[in-house]
Amino acid sequence: MKSFSYDASPARIVFGQGTIDTIAEEVRRLGRSRVMVLASRRLNAVAAAVTASLCDMVVARFDGAVMHTPIEVTTAALKLAESHHVDVVVAIGGGSATGLSKALALRAGFDQIIVPTTYAGSEATPVLGETENGRKTTRSSPHIRPETVIYDVDLTLDLPLGTTVTSAVNAMAHAVEALYSAESNPITDSMAIEVISGIARALPSIVDDPKNLEERAELLQSAWLAGTCLGTVGMGIHHKVCHTLGGSFGLPHAPTHTVVLPHAMAFNASAVPEVMSRIATALGVSDAATGVFDLVTACGGPTSLRKLGMRHDQIEKAVELATAAAYPNPREITAAGLNELLDNAWSGRRPAIG
Protein backbone atom coordinates (compact mmCIF):
# COMPACT_ATOMS: atom_id res chain seq x y z
CA MET A 1 0.00 0.00 0.00
CA LYS A 2 1.23 3.47 -0.88
CA SER A 3 0.31 6.48 1.22
CA PHE A 4 -0.34 9.64 -0.76
CA SER A 5 -2.11 12.98 -0.89
CA TYR A 6 -3.99 14.29 -3.90
CA ASP A 7 -5.23 17.80 -4.70
CA ALA A 8 -7.82 17.95 -7.48
CA SER A 9 -7.33 20.69 -10.09
CA PRO A 10 -10.57 22.66 -10.31
CA ALA A 11 -11.40 23.86 -13.82
CA ARG A 12 -14.41 24.00 -16.08
CA ILE A 13 -13.96 21.79 -19.16
CA VAL A 14 -16.12 22.13 -22.27
CA PHE A 15 -15.37 19.32 -24.77
CA GLY A 16 -16.82 18.44 -28.15
CA GLN A 17 -17.34 19.69 -31.71
CA GLY A 18 -18.23 23.31 -32.38
CA THR A 19 -17.67 24.21 -28.74
CA ILE A 20 -15.80 27.37 -29.75
CA ASP A 21 -19.27 28.84 -30.26
CA THR A 22 -19.78 28.77 -26.48
CA ILE A 23 -17.08 31.36 -25.70
CA ALA A 24 -19.52 34.26 -25.33
CA GLU A 25 -21.59 32.20 -22.92
CA GLU A 26 -18.47 31.36 -20.90
CA VAL A 27 -17.44 35.03 -20.72
CA ARG A 28 -20.87 35.93 -19.36
CA ARG A 29 -20.78 32.98 -16.95
CA LEU A 30 -17.62 34.47 -15.44
CA GLY A 31 -19.33 37.83 -15.12
CA ARG A 32 -16.83 39.50 -17.46
CA SER A 33 -17.30 41.83 -20.41
CA ARG A 34 -13.95 43.19 -21.64
CA VAL A 35 -12.09 40.56 -23.62
CA MET A 36 -8.56 40.40 -24.98
CA VAL A 37 -8.22 37.79 -27.72
CA LEU A 38 -4.81 36.09 -27.95
CA ALA A 39 -4.11 34.14 -31.13
CA SER A 40 -1.26 33.91 -33.61
CA ARG A 41 -1.56 35.28 -37.14
CA ARG A 42 -1.90 31.68 -38.36
CA LEU A 43 -5.21 31.58 -36.52
CA ASN A 44 -6.47 34.95 -37.77
CA ALA A 45 -9.58 33.42 -39.33
CA VAL A 46 -10.52 31.64 -36.08
CA ALA A 47 -9.78 34.76 -34.05
CA ALA A 48 -11.93 36.86 -36.38
CA ALA A 49 -14.84 34.43 -36.01
CA VAL A 50 -14.52 34.47 -32.23
CA THR A 51 -14.30 38.27 -32.21
CA ALA A 52 -17.47 38.48 -34.29
CA SER A 53 -19.29 36.12 -31.93
CA LEU A 54 -18.29 38.23 -28.93
CA CYS A 55 -19.48 41.46 -30.58
CA ASP A 56 -18.57 44.54 -28.54
CA MET A 57 -17.07 42.50 -25.68
CA VAL A 58 -13.70 42.32 -27.50
CA VAL A 59 -11.62 45.38 -26.61
CA ALA A 60 -8.11 44.17 -27.53
CA ARG A 61 -6.33 41.68 -29.82
CA PHE A 62 -2.73 40.45 -29.45
CA ASP A 63 -0.96 38.14 -31.92
CA GLY A 64 2.61 38.21 -30.62
CA ALA A 65 2.78 35.15 -28.34
CA VAL A 66 5.93 33.06 -28.90
CA MET A 67 7.50 29.91 -27.50
CA HIS A 68 8.86 29.80 -23.96
CA THR A 69 6.90 32.92 -22.88
CA PRO A 70 9.64 35.58 -22.88
CA ILE A 71 9.16 38.33 -20.29
CA GLU A 72 9.38 41.13 -22.85
CA VAL A 73 6.41 39.76 -24.82
CA THR A 74 4.36 39.49 -21.64
CA THR A 75 5.21 43.09 -20.79
CA ALA A 76 3.99 44.32 -24.19
CA ALA A 77 0.76 42.32 -23.98
CA LEU A 78 0.12 43.48 -20.40
CA LYS A 79 0.52 47.12 -21.40
CA LEU A 80 -2.06 46.66 -24.15
CA ALA A 81 -4.47 44.82 -21.83
CA GLU A 82 -4.27 47.39 -19.07
CA SER A 83 -4.76 50.29 -21.49
CA HIS A 84 -8.06 48.70 -22.57
CA HIS A 85 -9.19 47.69 -19.05
CA VAL A 86 -9.34 43.98 -19.96
CA ASP A 87 -10.98 41.66 -17.42
CA VAL A 88 -10.78 38.30 -19.24
CA VAL A 89 -8.35 36.76 -21.72
CA VAL A 90 -9.48 34.36 -24.45
CA ALA A 91 -6.40 32.49 -25.71
CA ILE A 92 -6.67 30.39 -28.86
CA GLY A 93 -3.73 28.23 -29.94
CA GLY A 94 -0.99 26.04 -28.53
CA GLY A 95 1.37 26.34 -25.60
CA SER A 96 2.63 29.79 -26.59
CA ALA A 97 -0.81 31.41 -26.40
CA THR A 98 -1.63 29.52 -23.21
CA GLY A 99 1.66 30.50 -21.60
CA LEU A 100 1.14 34.20 -22.37
CA SER A 101 -2.42 34.06 -21.03
CA LYS A 102 -1.18 32.52 -17.79
CA ALA A 103 1.57 35.12 -17.45
CA LEU A 104 -0.99 37.91 -17.85
CA ALA A 105 -3.36 36.29 -15.34
CA LEU A 106 -0.58 35.96 -12.78
CA ARG A 107 0.37 39.61 -13.09
CA ALA A 108 -3.01 41.27 -13.44
CA GLY A 109 -5.55 38.75 -12.14
CA PHE A 110 -7.41 38.35 -15.44
CA ASP A 111 -9.77 35.41 -15.79
CA GLN A 112 -8.80 33.01 -18.58
CA ILE A 113 -10.69 31.03 -21.20
CA ILE A 114 -8.26 28.80 -23.09
CA VAL A 115 -9.09 27.19 -26.45
CA PRO A 116 -6.27 24.72 -27.28
CA THR A 117 -5.53 23.88 -30.91
CA THR A 118 -2.65 21.48 -30.15
CA TYR A 119 -2.02 18.74 -27.59
CA ALA A 120 0.26 20.74 -25.27
CA GLY A 121 -1.83 20.06 -22.15
CA SER A 122 -0.52 23.15 -20.35
CA GLU A 123 -4.03 24.60 -20.31
CA ALA A 124 -4.89 22.09 -17.56
CA THR A 125 -2.12 23.12 -15.18
CA PRO A 126 -1.39 25.83 -12.59
CA VAL A 127 2.20 25.93 -13.91
CA LEU A 128 3.86 28.75 -15.87
CA GLY A 129 7.23 28.56 -17.61
CA GLU A 130 8.84 31.89 -18.52
CA THR A 131 12.11 32.90 -20.15
CA GLU A 132 14.27 35.82 -19.08
CA ASN A 133 17.88 36.49 -20.03
CA GLY A 134 18.18 33.11 -21.72
CA ARG A 135 16.93 31.07 -18.77
CA LYS A 136 13.56 29.37 -18.46
CA THR A 137 12.09 29.02 -15.02
CA THR A 138 8.77 27.61 -13.83
CA ARG A 139 6.43 28.45 -11.01
CA SER A 140 3.09 27.20 -9.80
CA SER A 141 0.13 29.07 -8.36
CA PRO A 142 -3.64 28.64 -8.25
CA HIS A 143 -3.86 32.06 -9.93
CA ILE A 144 -2.16 30.63 -13.02
CA ARG A 145 -4.74 27.93 -13.75
CA PRO A 146 -7.36 28.96 -16.33
CA GLU A 147 -10.98 29.23 -15.23
CA THR A 148 -12.35 27.53 -18.35
CA VAL A 149 -10.85 25.29 -21.04
CA ILE A 150 -12.81 24.79 -24.24
CA TYR A 151 -11.72 21.78 -26.28
CA ASP A 152 -13.08 21.89 -29.83
CA VAL A 153 -12.00 18.85 -31.83
CA ASP A 154 -12.81 20.64 -35.08
CA LEU A 155 -9.93 23.06 -34.45
CA THR A 156 -7.40 20.20 -34.51
CA LEU A 157 -8.45 18.64 -37.82
CA ASP A 158 -6.17 20.92 -39.86
CA LEU A 159 -3.22 20.73 -37.46
CA PRO A 160 -0.17 19.83 -39.60
CA LEU A 161 1.02 16.25 -39.13
CA GLY A 162 4.46 17.31 -37.92
CA THR A 163 2.95 19.46 -35.18
CA THR A 164 0.41 16.75 -34.38
CA VAL A 165 3.16 14.19 -33.75
CA THR A 166 5.45 16.38 -31.66
CA SER A 167 2.60 17.91 -29.68
CA ALA A 168 1.17 14.47 -28.86
CA VAL A 169 4.56 13.10 -27.76
CA ASN A 170 5.02 16.21 -25.64
CA ALA A 171 1.74 15.26 -23.91
CA MET A 172 2.98 11.69 -23.49
CA ALA A 173 6.08 13.04 -21.73
CA HIS A 174 3.88 14.55 -19.00
CA ALA A 175 2.34 11.13 -18.38
CA VAL A 176 5.64 9.25 -18.42
CA GLU A 177 7.24 11.50 -15.83
CA ALA A 178 4.10 11.51 -13.69
CA LEU A 179 4.42 7.73 -13.31
CA TYR A 180 7.86 7.94 -11.72
CA SER A 181 7.33 11.21 -9.87
CA ALA A 182 8.06 11.19 -6.15
CA GLU A 183 4.49 12.51 -5.74
CA SER A 184 2.86 9.81 -7.88
CA ASN A 185 -0.44 8.39 -6.71
CA PRO A 186 -3.02 5.88 -7.99
CA ILE A 187 -5.22 8.59 -9.50
CA THR A 188 -2.60 10.28 -11.66
CA ASP A 189 -1.09 6.86 -12.43
CA SER A 190 -4.40 5.76 -13.96
CA MET A 191 -4.62 8.96 -15.98
CA ALA A 192 -1.02 8.62 -17.14
CA ILE A 193 -1.47 5.04 -18.38
CA GLU A 194 -4.61 6.09 -20.25
CA VAL A 195 -2.67 8.96 -21.87
CA ILE A 196 0.14 6.69 -23.04
CA SER A 197 -2.13 3.99 -24.42
CA GLY A 198 -4.47 6.56 -25.99
CA ILE A 199 -1.68 8.37 -27.83
CA ALA A 200 -0.09 5.10 -28.93
CA ARG A 201 -3.46 4.02 -30.40
CA ALA A 202 -4.50 7.29 -32.00
CA LEU A 203 -1.31 8.80 -33.39
CA PRO A 204 -0.53 6.21 -36.12
CA SER A 205 -4.16 6.32 -37.25
CA ILE A 206 -4.04 10.11 -37.59
CA VAL A 207 -0.82 9.89 -39.60
CA ASP A 208 -2.74 7.65 -42.01
CA ASP A 209 -5.90 9.80 -41.91
CA PRO A 210 -5.36 13.33 -40.49
CA LYS A 211 -9.11 14.08 -40.58
CA ASN A 212 -10.02 11.08 -38.39
CA LEU A 213 -12.39 12.80 -35.97
CA GLU A 214 -12.55 10.02 -33.38
CA GLU A 215 -8.77 9.69 -33.15
CA ARG A 216 -8.35 13.47 -32.98
CA ALA A 217 -10.79 13.43 -30.07
CA GLU A 218 -8.74 10.65 -28.46
CA LEU A 219 -5.58 12.76 -28.69
CA LEU A 220 -7.31 15.85 -27.32
CA GLN A 221 -8.69 13.92 -24.35
CA SER A 222 -5.24 12.42 -23.78
CA ALA A 223 -3.75 15.92 -23.81
CA TRP A 224 -6.24 17.03 -21.17
CA LEU A 225 -5.39 14.07 -18.92
CA ALA A 226 -1.66 14.58 -19.53
CA GLY A 227 -1.94 18.21 -18.52
CA THR A 228 -3.82 17.18 -15.40
CA CYS A 229 -0.93 14.85 -14.53
CA LEU A 230 1.57 17.64 -15.18
CA GLY A 231 -0.32 20.00 -12.90
CA THR A 232 -0.75 17.46 -10.09
CA VAL A 233 2.67 15.90 -9.53
CA GLY A 234 6.26 16.98 -10.04
CA MET A 235 8.29 16.25 -13.15
CA GLY A 236 11.88 14.98 -13.48
CA ILE A 237 14.91 15.03 -15.72
CA HIS A 238 13.03 15.08 -19.01
CA HIS A 239 11.25 18.36 -18.33
CA LYS A 240 14.34 19.92 -16.76
CA VAL A 241 16.44 19.13 -19.82
CA CYS A 242 13.79 20.33 -22.25
CA HIS A 243 13.30 23.62 -20.40
CA THR A 244 17.05 24.14 -20.47
CA LEU A 245 17.32 23.42 -24.19
CA GLY A 246 14.34 25.61 -25.03
CA GLY A 247 15.03 28.56 -22.76
CA SER A 248 18.80 28.76 -23.20
CA PHE A 249 19.30 27.54 -26.77
CA GLY A 250 16.01 28.46 -28.41
CA LEU A 251 15.10 24.94 -29.49
CA PRO A 252 11.45 24.41 -30.47
CA HIS A 253 9.34 23.24 -27.54
CA ALA A 254 7.37 20.18 -28.69
CA PRO A 255 10.03 18.81 -31.09
CA THR A 256 12.61 19.00 -28.29
CA HIS A 257 10.32 17.04 -25.96
CA THR A 258 9.83 14.49 -28.73
CA VAL A 259 13.55 13.95 -29.27
CA VAL A 260 14.53 13.86 -25.58
CA LEU A 261 11.74 11.67 -24.19
CA PRO A 262 13.00 8.18 -25.15
CA HIS A 263 16.51 9.06 -23.94
CA ALA A 264 15.24 10.40 -20.61
CA MET A 265 13.26 7.17 -20.23
CA ALA A 266 16.35 5.07 -21.01
CA PHE A 267 18.32 7.12 -18.46
CA ASN A 268 15.78 6.38 -15.70
CA ALA A 269 14.88 2.83 -16.72
CA SER A 270 17.19 1.00 -14.30
CA ALA A 271 15.85 3.01 -11.34
CA VAL A 272 12.15 2.38 -12.05
CA PRO A 273 11.83 -0.97 -13.86
CA GLU A 274 8.22 -1.52 -12.73
CA VAL A 275 7.16 1.86 -14.13
CA MET A 276 8.88 1.14 -17.44
CA SER A 277 7.16 -2.23 -17.59
CA ARG A 278 3.76 -0.54 -17.17
CA ILE A 279 4.61 1.97 -19.89
CA ALA A 280 5.73 -0.78 -22.24
CA THR A 281 2.45 -2.61 -21.67
CA ALA A 282 0.49 0.58 -22.38
CA LEU A 283 2.46 1.04 -25.60
CA GLY A 284 2.04 -2.61 -26.58
CA VAL A 285 5.81 -3.19 -26.81
CA SER A 286 8.49 -5.04 -24.89
CA ASP A 287 10.67 -2.04 -24.00
CA ALA A 288 9.36 1.41 -23.06
CA ALA A 289 12.15 3.71 -24.26
CA THR A 290 12.68 2.01 -27.61
CA GLY A 291 8.90 1.76 -27.99
CA VAL A 292 8.54 5.55 -27.80
CA PHE A 293 11.51 6.06 -30.14
CA ASP A 294 10.04 3.63 -32.67
CA LEU A 295 6.60 5.28 -32.43
CA VAL A 296 8.13 8.68 -33.18
CA THR A 297 10.12 7.25 -36.07
CA ALA A 298 7.11 5.46 -37.55
CA CYS A 299 5.07 8.66 -37.39
CA GLY A 300 7.78 10.76 -39.05
CA GLY A 301 8.71 12.74 -35.94
CA PRO A 302 12.15 14.19 -35.12
CA THR A 303 14.74 12.03 -33.36
CA SER A 304 17.83 14.24 -33.29
CA LEU A 305 18.69 17.47 -31.47
CA ARG A 306 21.25 18.12 -34.18
CA LYS A 307 18.48 18.38 -36.75
CA LEU A 308 16.61 20.81 -34.48
CA GLY A 309 19.57 23.19 -34.70
CA MET A 310 21.62 22.34 -31.61
CA ARG A 311 25.41 22.24 -31.98
CA HIS A 312 27.37 19.43 -30.37
CA ASP A 313 29.60 21.92 -28.57
CA GLN A 314 26.53 23.26 -26.74
CA ILE A 315 26.04 19.99 -24.85
CA GLU A 316 28.61 20.90 -22.20
CA LYS A 317 26.82 24.18 -21.43
CA ALA A 318 23.45 22.42 -21.37
CA VAL A 319 24.77 19.91 -18.82
CA GLU A 320 26.10 22.74 -16.69
CA LEU A 321 22.76 24.56 -16.71
CA ALA A 322 20.64 21.46 -16.14
CA THR A 323 22.72 20.35 -13.13
CA ALA A 324 22.99 23.79 -11.53
CA ALA A 325 20.14 23.05 -9.11
CA ALA A 326 18.94 19.78 -7.61
CA TYR A 327 15.51 18.43 -8.52
CA PRO A 328 13.71 15.13 -7.91
CA ASN A 329 14.41 12.25 -10.30
CA PRO A 330 14.41 8.47 -9.81
CA ARG A 331 18.06 8.09 -10.83
CA GLU A 332 20.84 10.28 -9.51
CA ILE A 333 21.72 12.96 -12.03
CA THR A 334 25.42 13.35 -12.76
CA ALA A 335 27.21 15.45 -15.34
CA ALA A 336 28.53 12.29 -17.02
CA GLY A 337 25.11 10.66 -17.17
CA LEU A 338 23.42 13.78 -18.51
CA ASN A 339 26.17 14.28 -21.07
CA GLU A 340 25.56 10.75 -22.36
CA LEU A 341 21.80 11.35 -22.50
CA LEU A 342 22.24 14.55 -24.51
CA ASP A 343 24.88 13.06 -26.80
CA ASN A 344 22.51 10.21 -27.67
CA ALA A 345 19.65 12.66 -28.24
CA TRP A 346 21.88 14.90 -30.34
CA SER A 347 22.96 12.00 -32.51
CA GLY A 348 19.48 10.49 -32.81
CA ARG A 349 20.58 7.04 -31.66
CA ARG A 350 17.91 4.48 -30.88
CA PRO A 351 18.11 3.79 -27.12
CA ALA A 352 19.63 0.50 -26.08
CA ILE A 353 17.01 -1.97 -24.90
CA GLY A 354 17.07 -1.93 -21.12
Side-chain angles (χ1 to χ4, degrees):
M1 186 195 81
K2 177 175 181 175
S3 298
F4 65 92
S5 61
Y6 175 77
D7 291 321
S9 300
R12 176 172 169 81
I13 305 297
V14 181
F15 192 102
Q17 279 187 273
T19 49
I20 196 170
D21 295 335
T22 68
I23 291 178
E25 177 185 339
E26 293 301 322
V27 171
R28 288 190 287 267
R29 191 187 67 82
L30 291 170
R32 304 305 182 187
S33 61
R34 300 186 65 80
V35 178
M36 170 185 265
V37 175
L38 301 181
S40 69
R41 294 188 183 113
R42 183 182 69 82
L43 294 170
N44 268 342
V46 177
V50 169
T51 298
S53 73
L54 293 172
C55 301
D56 58 357
M57 286 193 287
V58 176
V59 297
R61 163 87 166 92
F62 189 84
D63 62 8
V66 295
M67 289 187 303
H68 309 305
T69 319
I71 295 292
E72 57 270 23
V73 173
T74 300
T75 300
L78 182 59
K79 182 177 179 180
L80 177 65
E82 290 181 335
S83 70
H84 288 84
H85 307 290
V86 166
D87 59 16
V88 59
V89 174
V90 173
I92 308 163
S96 297
T98 297
L100 178 57
S101 178
K102 288 178 168 184
L104 293 173
L106 181 65
R107 286 163 174 77
F110 302 138
D111 283 347
Q112 303 175 76
I113 299 172
I114 307 294
V115 186
T117 60
T118 70
Y119 308 112
S122 56
E123 68 279 351
T125 78
V127 179
L128 169 64
E130 297 181 289
T131 303
E132 184 175 17
N133 297 324
R135 294 209 176 197
K136 188 170 184 178
T137 58
T138 60
R139 52 179 147 172
S140 180
S141 165
H143 303 295
I144 293 172
R145 183 185 290 111
E147 279 66 34
T148 303
V149 181
I150 297 176
Y151 291 102
D152 189 332
V153 181
D154 289 341
L155 297 180
T156 67
L157 295 178
D158 294 322
L159 190 65
L161 274 179
T163 305
T164 295
V165 172
T166 57
S167 182
V169 178
N170 180 20
M172 184 182 285
H174 307 331
V176 167
E177 291 226 298
L179 285 166
Y180 56 63
S181 169
E183 300 160 345
S184 65
N185 62 73
I187 301 166
T188 54
D189 283 3
S190 296
M191 292 181 187
I193 291 297
E194 180 59 31
V195 169
I196 294 165
S197 60
I199 292 174
R201 285 193 305 266
L203 197 52
S205 297
I206 290 173
V207 170
D208 291 337
D209 177 13
K211 300 287 188 180
N212 188 317
L213 184 67
E214 292 302 319
E215 301 296 2
R216 287 283 184 183
E218 176 85 62
L219 279 192
L220 205 53
Q221 290 181 33
S222 295
W224 168 27
L225 292 179
T228 303
C229 291
L230 175 66
T232 305
V233 300
M235 299 286 111
I237 189 172
H238 170 84
H239 281 75
K240 179 63 175 181
V241 167
C242 290
H243 285 170
T244 298
L245 296 177
S248 299
F249 302 98
L251 297 191
H253 182 79
T256 300
H257 277 268
T258 302
V259 171
V260 171
L261 180 58
H263 300 286
M265 293 170 67
F267 178 90
N268 278 330
S270 62
V272 282
E274 292 183 2
V275 168
M276 292 302 159
S277 177
R278 294 182 68 189
I279 294 172
T281 300
L283 291 168
V285 299
S286 59
D287 181 77
T290 57
V292 170
F293 185 91
D294 292 345
L295 176 65
V296 171
T297 302
C299 293
T303 57
S304 164
L305 293 177
R306 175 174 57 85
K307 292 186 178 179
L308 298 185
M310 185 179 184
R311 303 192 314 269
H312 193 270
D313 61 10
Q314 292 177 314
I315 290 178
E316 183 178 354
K317 182 62 175 177
V319 170
E320 177 186 335
L321 292 170
T323 56
Y327 49 92
N329 190 70
R331 176 183 164 187
E332 181 185 3
I333 298 170
T334 64
L338 190 51
N339 188 86
E340 182 181 7
L341 185 162
L342 285 171
D343 185 68
N344 288 334
W346 185 86
S347 302
R349 299 187 187 99
R350 184 175 187 259
I353 294 177

mmCIF file of all heavy atoms in Angstrom, residues 33 77 101 138 162 186 191 202 250 265 267 317:
data_model
loop_
_atom_site.group_PDB
_atom_site.id
_atom_site.type_symbol
_atom_site.label_atom_id
_atom_site.label_comp_id
_atom_site.label_asym_id
_atom_site.label_seq_id
_atom_site.Cartn_x
_atom_site.Cartn_y
_atom_site.Cartn_z
ATOM 1 N N SER A 33 -16.767 41.168 -19.227
ATOM 2 C CA SER A 33 -17.303 41.832 -20.410
ATOM 3 C C SER A 33 -16.259 42.512 -21.285
ATOM 4 O O SER A 33 -16.597 43.048 -22.344
ATOM 5 C CB SER A 33 -18.347 42.887 -19.989
ATOM 6 O OG SER A 33 -17.737 43.872 -19.162
ATOM 7 N N ALA A 77 2.161 42.712 -23.996
ATOM 8 C CA ALA A 77 0.757 42.318 -23.977
ATOM 9 C C ALA A 77 0.036 42.902 -22.761
ATOM 10 O O ALA A 77 -1.130 43.320 -22.855
ATOM 11 C CB ALA A 77 0.638 40.800 -23.978
ATOM 12 N N SER A 101 -1.197 33.822 -21.801
ATOM 13 C CA SER A 101 -2.419 34.062 -21.033
ATOM 14 C C SER A 101 -2.169 33.857 -19.542
ATOM 15 O O SER A 101 -2.586 34.674 -18.707
ATOM 16 C CB SER A 101 -3.518 33.118 -21.523
ATOM 17 O OG SER A 101 -4.706 33.290 -20.780
ATOM 18 N N THR A 138 10.182 27.921 -13.997
ATOM 19 C CA THR A 138 8.767 27.605 -13.830
ATOM 20 C C THR A 138 8.319 27.953 -12.427
ATOM 21 O O THR A 138 9.112 27.968 -11.485
ATOM 22 C CB THR A 138 8.494 26.111 -14.092
ATOM 23 O OG1 THR A 138 9.245 25.324 -13.161
ATOM 24 C CG2 THR A 138 8.879 25.725 -15.512
ATOM 25 N N GLY A 162 3.240 17.161 -38.709
ATOM 26 C CA GLY A 162 4.461 17.309 -37.919
ATOM 27 C C GLY A 162 4.174 17.851 -36.531
ATOM 28 O O GLY A 162 4.698 17.346 -35.526
ATOM 29 N N PRO A 186 -2.216 6.747 -7.119
ATOM 30 C CA PRO A 186 -3.019 5.880 -7.989
ATOM 31 C C PRO A 186 -3.906 6.628 -8.977
ATOM 32 O O PRO A 186 -4.199 6.124 -10.068
ATOM 33 C CB PRO A 186 -3.865 5.076 -6.996
ATOM 34 C CG PRO A 186 -3.088 5.097 -5.728
ATOM 35 C CD PRO A 186 -2.408 6.424 -5.697
ATOM 36 N N MET A 191 -4.540 7.994 -14.890
ATOM 37 C CA MET A 191 -4.617 8.964 -15.983
ATOM 38 C C MET A 191 -3.432 8.815 -16.927
ATOM 39 O O MET A 191 -3.580 8.825 -18.153
ATOM 40 C CB MET A 191 -4.630 10.391 -15.425
ATOM 41 C CG MET A 191 -5.864 10.784 -14.660
ATOM 42 S SD MET A 191 -5.710 12.506 -14.113
ATOM 43 C CE MET A 191 -7.156 12.651 -13.067
ATOM 44 N N ALA A 202 -3.930 6.295 -31.090
ATOM 45 C CA ALA A 202 -4.495 7.290 -31.999
ATOM 46 C C ALA A 202 -3.493 7.862 -32.991
ATOM 47 O O ALA A 202 -3.840 8.132 -34.152
ATOM 48 C CB ALA A 202 -5.116 8.426 -31.190
ATOM 49 N N GLY A 250 17.039 28.117 -27.447
ATOM 50 C CA GLY A 250 16.010 28.461 -28.407
ATOM 51 C C GLY A 250 15.462 27.309 -29.219
ATOM 52 O O GLY A 250 14.877 27.517 -30.284
ATOM 53 N N MET A 265 13.813 8.440 -20.727
ATOM 54 C CA MET A 265 13.261 7.169 -20.229
ATOM 55 C C MET A 265 14.362 6.120 -20.091
ATOM 56 O O MET A 265 14.421 5.400 -19.089
ATOM 57 C CB MET A 265 12.174 6.680 -21.186
ATOM 58 C CG MET A 265 10.935 7.561 -21.205
ATOM 59 S SD MET A 265 9.778 7.147 -22.547
ATOM 60 C CE MET A 265 9.234 5.512 -22.001
ATOM 61 N N PHE A 267 17.477 6.688 -19.581
ATOM 62 C CA PHE A 267 18.318 7.121 -18.463
ATOM 63 C C PHE A 267 17.738 6.634 -17.136
ATOM 64 O O PHE A 267 18.464 6.161 -16.256
ATOM 65 C CB PHE A 267 18.418 8.650 -18.469
ATOM 66 C CG PHE A 267 19.219 9.232 -17.341
ATOM 67 C CD1 PHE A 267 20.590 9.431 -17.474
ATOM 68 C CD2 PHE A 267 18.619 9.591 -16.141
ATOM 69 C CE1 PHE A 267 21.341 9.974 -16.425
ATOM 70 C CE2 PHE A 267 19.350 10.134 -15.092
ATOM 71 C CZ PHE A 267 20.724 10.310 -15.245
ATOM 72 N N LYS A 317 27.519 23.083 -22.097
ATOM 73 C CA LYS A 317 26.822 24.177 -21.426
ATOM 74 C C LYS A 317 25.445 23.728 -20.947
ATOM 75 O O LYS A 317 24.994 24.093 -19.852
ATOM 76 C CB LYS A 317 26.681 25.366 -22.386
ATOM 77 C CG LYS A 317 26.006 26.591 -21.752
ATOM 78 C CD LYS A 317 26.810 27.148 -20.591
ATOM 79 C CE LYS A 317 26.204 28.429 -20.055
ATOM 80 N NZ LYS A 317 26.952 28.958 -18.868
#
